Amino acid sequence: QKEVEQNSGPLSVPEGAIASLNCTYSDRGSQSFFWYRQYSGKSPELIMFIYSNGDKEDGRFTAQLNKASQYVSLLIRDSQPSDSATYLCAVKSNYQLIWGAGTKLIIKP
Amino acid sequence: GAVVSQHPSWVICKSGTSVKIECRSLDFQATTMFWYRQFPKQSLMLMATSNEGSKATYEQGVEKDKFLINHASLTLSTLTVTSAHPEDSSFYICSARGGGRGIYNEQFFGPGTRLTVL
């Protein structure tokens, strides 16, 4: 059973601080890793994807991948109240996306 | 780019009726479309995967005769909930994936359809 694990939260972070979201996966053969943001009552929105070990930065977002340890993380710098949402980690395994249950992030003004 | 639309955005129907939900890729050709269901405060649950021109592949526990999926073209897939019951009330979300390489090979989500069965 291929699994993607996330802490459900809620993770509460002060405005302006760095929010760190983590995800682990079981299939060592996974090649592609994604972070989606989902606001309450809305559908998921792709915000980052990463294929190679290391860091990938896009604006305030940094995705980090460590295939040896089978984890992927998302850092959000200068957190804003508008970043409050559920963040879903997804891992592509054999052309299927395996989803984590999501971490609820709350940015406190 | 990579815009996916769904129609309707919300629907209320009586128990026993059928409801059709459309999913369209507006600016790319979707070789594969996915249908998800999400209950309140729960994660996405993949219901089925459909490739254009072929029968959908349903996940375990999803009744194919109840949730009819048609992917007749590269830009349109439909999900029909037949004989809907209150327990089918949920948020139904489609996603579309193009072929080839690059970002269009990833999944892009429609805005979702909220179904309420009375």
Side-chain angles (χ1 to χ4, degrees):
Chain A
Q1 182 79 1
K2 296 170 183 173
E3 294 180 342
V4 175
E5 300 284 344
Q6 291 182 259
N7 189 317
S8 62
L11 174 66
S12 186
V13 173
E15 183 176 359
I18 296 175
S20 177
L21 303 160
N22 299 311
C23 170
T24 59
Y25 59 95
S26 63
D27 182 9
R28 189 171 286 278
S30 300
Q31 294 297 318
S32 308
F33 307 86
F34 306 86
W35 283 100
Y36 286 81
R37 177 177 62 198
Q38 186 175 25
Y39 292 112
S40 181
K42 303 294 184 182
S43 66
E45 171 193 12
L46 179 65
I47 54 172
M48 288 285 288
F49 60 92
I50 186 168
Y51 303 144
S52 304
N53 271 330
D55 295 0
K56 179 182 178 183
E57 187 174 320
D58 183 1
R60 296 187 295 113
F61 298 97
T62 300
Q64 299 176 317
L65 174 61
N66 184 323
K67 289 186 178 180
S69 300
Q70 294 176 240
Y71 84 77
V72 57
S73 61
L74 178 70
L75 302 178
I76 306 174
R77 288 183 300 281
D78 188 23
S79 298
Q80 303 297 310
S82 59
D83 295 325
S84 298
T86 295
Y87 288 80
L88 302 168
C89 172
V91 174
K92 184 180 281 189
S93 176
N94 286 341
Y95 304 104
Q96 290 275 34
L97 268 187
I98 311 298
W99 292 88
T103 297
K104 184 173 183 178
L105 175 66
I106 299 172
I107 306 300
K108 297 183 298 183
Chain B
V3 179
V4 178
S5 70
Q6 272 185 252
H7 178 80
S9 55
W10 59 270
V11 58
I12 301 172
C13 69
K14 292 182 178 179
S15 183
T17 60
S18 294
V19 175
K20 179 184 283 188
I21 302 170
E22 292 186 350
C23 177
R24 293 181 186 272
S25 57
L26 298 184
D27 54 359
F28 68 102
Q29 292 185 325
T31 54
T32 307
M33 286 189 172
F34 305 84
W35 286 96
Y36 293 84
R37 180 167 54 181
Q38 188 175 35
F39 292 106
K41 299 186 187 300
Q42 295 187 24
S43 188
L44 292 173
M45 185 185 79
L46 179 65
M47 298 175 67
T49 302
S50 73
N51 291 296
E52 184 265 338
S54 58
K55 289 184 179 180
T57 301
Y58 290 81
E59 295 299 301
Q60 193 171 13
V62 178
E63 299 174 61
K64 62 180 181 180
D65 294 330
K66 180 171 183 63
F67 299 99
L68 302 179
I69 292 171
N70 184 288
H71 190 169
S73 79
L74 285 171
T75 59
L76 173 64
S77 176
T78 60
L79 167 68
T80 301
V81 183
T82 62
S83 187
H85 291 286
E87 59 265 30
D88 298 322
S89 299
S90 187
F91 191 41
Y92 291 86
I93 313 171
C94 75
S95 71
R97 184 178 71 197
R101 308 180 75 175
I103 189 62
Y104 288 96
N105 193 244
E106 308 311 338
Q107 289 188 36
F108 292 90
F109 284 83
T113 297
R114 190 161 300 283
L115 171 64
T116 301
V117 184
L118 302 177

